[in-house]
Amino acid sequence: MAESRHSLFHQFAASDWDGFLKGVEKEGLRVDANGFIAQTPHPEALGSALTHPRITTDYSEALLELITPVFSSTEAMLASLRDTHRFVQQNLGDEVFWAASMPCEIDGDQSIPIAEYGRSNIGQLKHVYRQGLAVRYGRIMQSIAGAHYNLSLPDSFWHKWQQLTGNQDALKDFKSDQYFWLIRNFRRRSWLLMLLFGASPALDSSFVAGVKHDLSRFDERTWYGKHATSLRMGDLGYHNNAQASLNICFNELDTYTRTLDQAIHTNWPAYEAIGTRRNDEFIQINTSVLQIENEYYSAVRPKRTTERAEKPIQALDARGVEYIEVRCLDLDPFSPVGVNQAQIDFLDLFLLDCLLTDSPRIGDDECQRLDDNYKDVVASGRWQELGVCQGGRRVPVGNAARELLDRLQPLAELLDSWGQDETYRSALAAQREKLQGQEWSVPSARVLASMEASGLGHRDWVLALSRQHQETLRNEALAPDVLADYQRMSRESLAEQEAQEQSDNLPFATFLEQYLRS
């Protein structure tokens, strides 16, 4: 019998282990003093949303996205993220940075301004892509915020791991194969993350105005899911009919990029009927099932840093998988920066175990079961009688979660022995505590309990919490050199955007035609 991957990993020594490489992309809405989505442009003090390395926008002009560099420690990464939050908070004036995933008060599609990126062709492409999302799915869905966690392992790990597994492939091919190994197991277990970190069980009534739903009434302007963990990841969140037709294969890199590329080059009749222009204005990039790769919604993505004018699929095919992006995380509304240390450390442990556990290819039947587990926990994860399918049997969700947490204990102990601390055991214990007793203290339950204790509905509760975070962060002055560095990045990003706009010499229609052919 072949030696297990966990046994192989135990052949590492503390001196062989260089830890994880990690980063976060954290979204959040700017809102006015009354808790309504901001109608103002991206603050100039925050630089160019097109070119700033740490502060940009996602779908909406009001939806900020804060990006950390890559770090080797959770503490350094969170410190950087907190510095960026401090700088942003100092430059919001009377506006507030919304702390929750589900949005503030809105008033239909037209209240959600689409992000602007200037006159350069790349800037116009980003804007037209977002116009396409609007005509395809509506803007309301795009006002939701979340956190994306990016993780990789250093080449020092991969060289040793390749040696231990006896693999002879080129390193880039070996790494891609192993990252997809991890991804397959992530898909088998991602329901656990929705139980442990889902934090969007309620929403403002303006989000579902005129929409049929099965939510329960919390108060006159708040709806909630009775047992839901994450309305953000449920039927009211990121979904659409065209993507339901896709069969994107996560078994290996070749099938993943091929099936994604097929979706980008397959016309969808409803989008063809819309067309790419309205009068002289471009309203979507193309009429395919997907305009570009990023339109595909998934809980996890294999990623590769792109070079100028390179598409994500091209980067993956040319140089292989560089890191994985976990996309299913709700914002932690209780944290001033939307994520917390125990969560990040647990994710490292969870993802490493996904790599170290046997991971056969996923067939169609298993794929359906995995999707069902995920959807069930998103919709009803706090119902302790819910069963999830594990190894061909239905297991109560709490028992299944505790079994998965227990299997992580030996790995946590090994990593802590190398680090000579209790980082991973503490992170694991923090997750176990959420599932103790009759009333679980998972984040979705904490949100509802805190709302009820405050006597406030979703909008007013999140607004009060957001103001608390704002006060906390504004009272933490940035060190003078750090402040100067952020101000420099803002100035340089504005200059870089202007330089791009000055250097473009192709009409946008010609640029887009060439982009689609590449």
Side-chain angles (χ1 to χ4, degrees):
M1 182 176 176
E3 194 169 9
S4 78
R5 291 166 69 90
H6 272 278
S7 297
L8 290 176
F9 187 68
H10 275 72
Q11 294 181 34
F12 276 75
S15 58
D16 297 323
W17 176 245
D18 292 326
F20 305 94
L21 299 173
K22 60 189 75 178
V24 163
E25 302 159 24
K26 187 261 185 176
E27 302 160 354
L29 285 168
R30 289 184 295 111
V31 309
D32 69 17
N34 297 314
F36 190 84
I37 187 169
Q39 302 297 296
T40 51
H42 185 66
E44 186 174 0
L46 302 184
S48 165
L50 179 67
T51 56
H52 197 294
R54 300 194 192 176
I55 304 170
T56 184
T57 51
D58 190 78
Y59 175 79
S60 173
E61 189 77 349
L63 185 55
L64 290 171
E65 182 177 348
L66 311 186
I67 304 166
T68 71
V70 178
F71 289 96
S72 58
S73 80
T74 302
E75 292 84 356
M77 185 195 75
L78 290 176
S80 172
L81 184 62
R82 197 173 186 96
D83 280 347
T84 306
H85 276 78
R86 289 171 180 147
F87 181 71
V88 167
Q89 294 281 16
Q90 288 177 12
N91 290 285
L92 288 187
D94 294 334
E95 292 178 349
V96 180
F97 199 18
W98 196 247
S101 280
M102 297 310 288
C104 56
E105 184 180 357
I106 56 177
D107 185 15
D109 270 3
Q110 294 311 306
S111 69
I112 301 166
I114 297 176
E116 300 280 355
Y117 298 97
R119 302 185 312 275
S120 70
N121 283 326
I122 288 293
Q124 290 184 72
L125 181 71
K126 289 170 72 75
H127 181 74
V128 171
Y129 166 61
R130 285 157 175 76
Q131 290 277 23
L133 298 179
V135 299
R136 291 170 177 224
Y137 320 126
R139 301 185 191 184
I140 290 175
M141 184 177 84
Q142 309 295 332
S143 64
I144 300 170
H148 299 166
Y149 182 56
N150 301 319
L151 177 127
S152 65
L153 290 155
D155 277 350
S156 58
F157 166 83
W158 291 117
H159 286 298
K160 177 76 171 179
W161 187 237
Q162 188 172 28
Q163 174 190 347
L164 289 172
T165 57
N167 182 276
Q168 302 295 319
D169 294 339
L171 184 62
K172 81 174 184 68
D173 297 329
F174 176 71
K175 288 167 62 175
S176 293
D177 176 71
Q178 295 299 293
Y179 277 124
F180 271 88
W181 185 294
L182 183 161
I183 286 169
R184 292 194 297 271
N185 276 334
F186 178 93
R187 295 196 64 226
R188 292 181 171 104
R189 304 172 179 181
S190 56
W191 62 266
L192 178 65
L193 302 185
M194 304 319 302
L195 179 63
L196 295 177
F197 304 121
S200 56
L203 50 76
D204 187 76
S205 60
S206 62
F207 186 84
V208 290
V211 175
K212 287 186 177 180
H213 59 79
D214 59 359
L215 300 177
S216 300
R217 177 74 74 176
F218 183 88
D219 67 13
E220 62 184 18
R221 59 169 304 124
T222 300
W223 296 94
Y224 77 106
K226 188 175 181 183
H227 299 294
T229 60
S230 176
L231 298 182
R232 167 179 171 262
M233 298 305 294
D235 290 341
L236 292 170
Y238 297 122
H239 73 285
N240 65 85
N241 292 330
Q243 290 198 21
S245 71
L246 294 178
N247 186 23
I248 303 299
C249 180
F250 283 87
N251 277 327
E252 56 197 7
L253 179 60
D254 180 61
T255 55
Y256 175 78
T257 57
R258 189 172 69 246
T259 51
L260 257 186
D261 188 64
Q262 184 177 9
I264 294 168
H265 293 94
T266 299
N267 280 334
W268 187 253
Y271 303 157
E272 285 187 281
I274 294 169
T276 58
R277 294 196 194 202
R278 184 175 294 141
N279 300 321
D280 291 331
E281 179 189 4
F282 280 93
I283 56 171
Q284 55 181 341
I285 292 174
N286 56 36
T287 59
S288 299
V289 176
L290 301 177
Q291 298 174 91
I292 59 175
E293 299 92 325
N294 290 350
E295 188 173 337
Y296 178 59
Y297 302 125
S298 59
V300 65
R301 279 182 188 161
K303 298 292 289 282
R304 160 64 65 174
T305 304
T306 55
E307 298 173 354
R308 186 172 175 82
E310 187 179 40
K311 295 177 181 176
I313 285 178
Q314 294 168 336
L316 283 169
D317 281 336
R319 298 184 300 283
V321 182
E322 180 183 9
Y323 63 96
I324 61 118
E325 178 185 46
V326 176
R327 300 173 51 80
C328 58
L329 302 175
D330 287 350
L331 298 183
D332 174 2
F334 301 103
S335 164
V337 299
V339 293
N340 62 76
Q341 177 154 356
Q343 175 186 33
I344 298 300
D345 289 334
F346 175 79
L347 285 169
D348 291 345
L349 184 68
F350 175 88
L351 293 168
L352 179 60
D353 190 70
C354 286
L355 177 68
L356 300 181
T357 302
D358 285 345
S359 184
R361 298 294 194 268
I362 296 173
D364 290 345
D365 288 346
E366 184 183 9
C367 186
Q368 186 60 56
R369 290 196 299 274
L370 301 181
D371 288 347
D372 289 345
N373 280 349
Y374 187 84
K375 292 174 184 175
D376 287 347
V377 174
V378 160
S380 304
R382 285 183 292 106
W383 181 41
Q384 297 192 23
E385 294 181 32
L386 175 70
V388 292
C389 188
Q390 298 284 282
R393 60 194 178 101
R394 301 292 291 184
V395 180
V397 63
N399 292 352
R402 285 183 283 268
E403 285 176 15
L404 272 177
L405 295 177
D406 287 346
R407 66 162 291 125
L408 297 176
Q409 187 69 34
L411 183 58
E413 291 172 356
L414 178 64
L415 295 180
D416 283 346
S417 72
W418 291 344
Q420 297 185 316
D421 58 21
E422 297 187 359
T423 296
Y424 298 102
R425 283 172 290 181
S426 295
L428 194 52
Q431 310 317 314
R432 282 201 182 100
E433 287 176 13
K434 296 176 181 179
L435 303 175
Q436 300 298 316
Q438 291 294 105
E439 297 294 328
W440 292 345
S441 59
V442 292
S444 51
R446 286 186 63 206
V447 166
L448 292 174
S450 182
M451 286 170 53
E452 192 163 343
S454 71
L456 300 174
H458 184 266
R459 183 196 63 179
D460 293 334
W461 178 77
V462 179
L463 184 59
L465 199 57
S466 302
R467 284 178 173 148
Q468 288 177 26
H469 295 332
Q470 185 170 63
E471 182 178 3
T472 296
L473 292 164
R474 284 182 171 176
N475 287 336
E476 298 174 0
L478 284 168
D481 59 326
V482 175
L483 176 59
D485 197 35
Y486 276 94
Q487 291 171 336
R488 175 191 57 78
M489 283 189 279
S490 292
R491 288 194 307 272
E492 290 179 354
S493 68
L494 290 167
E496 184 179 350
Q497 177 181 325
E498 184 176 355
Q500 285 190 23
E501 292 172 352
Q502 295 295 331
S503 65
D504 276 355
N505 52 24
L506 281 178
F508 179 68
T510 306
F511 168 84
L512 180 57
E513 184 181 342
Q514 292 181 1
Y515 175 85
L516 292 173
R517 283 205 309 264
S518 65

